[in-house]
Amino acid sequence: MTLTPTFFWVALGLLLIIAEMFHLSMVLLFFGVAALIVATAKFLGLNNLPIEILLFAVLGIGGLLLFRRKLLRSLKASSGMSIDRNAVIILPSDLPSRGATAVDYQGTSWTAVNDTDAPIQKGTKVYIHRTEGVRLIVRPEPLQAS
């Protein structure tokens, strides 16, 4: 199989969209969609690399500027899951310093990350300090009210 320019744009678009599923920044998604649109234009007869790159950049940045904030707001508003600061989780396994382990929270599997320089033993109550994407950043003591 040869790597045709159309196939390149399709592969790039799909790769960016798949990477977005792991990163959850809502940035790569717009560039992935832009690459798929360029692939469609290429399939329909566009055959000018500088225009393809310009179209990719304009669509990716334009989509990002026009729709990212709305998309993030709608995802946050429609999320039925509440991530509670200071919610308690019992560790199912040892958690090394700055390390990670799988935990169950609200019926879903999450990655808990130790936010301290000390290891935390299995069975210890840990408290959620914040979230980063699909990771729960935990500590053995609750957050203090500020």
Side-chain angles (χ1 to χ4, degrees), residues 71-126:
L71 181 61
L72 287 173
R73 212 175 341 197
S74 72
L75 288 175
K76 187 177 278 188
S78 66
S79 173
M81 185 163 295
S82 155
I83 304 302
D84 301 317
R85 288 176 59 162
N86 286 339
V88 175
I89 299 172
I90 306 292
L91 287 180
S93 60
D94 291 342
L95 184 55
S97 123
R98 304 287 175 196
T101 189
V103 296
D104 285 329
Y105 179 65
Q106 292 189 347
T108 305
S109 183
W110 292 78
T111 300
V113 177
N114 184 350
D115 197 31
T116 68
D117 291 324
I120 306 172
Q121 300 299 316
K122 173 183 177 177
T124 303
K125 287 183 183 179
V126 292

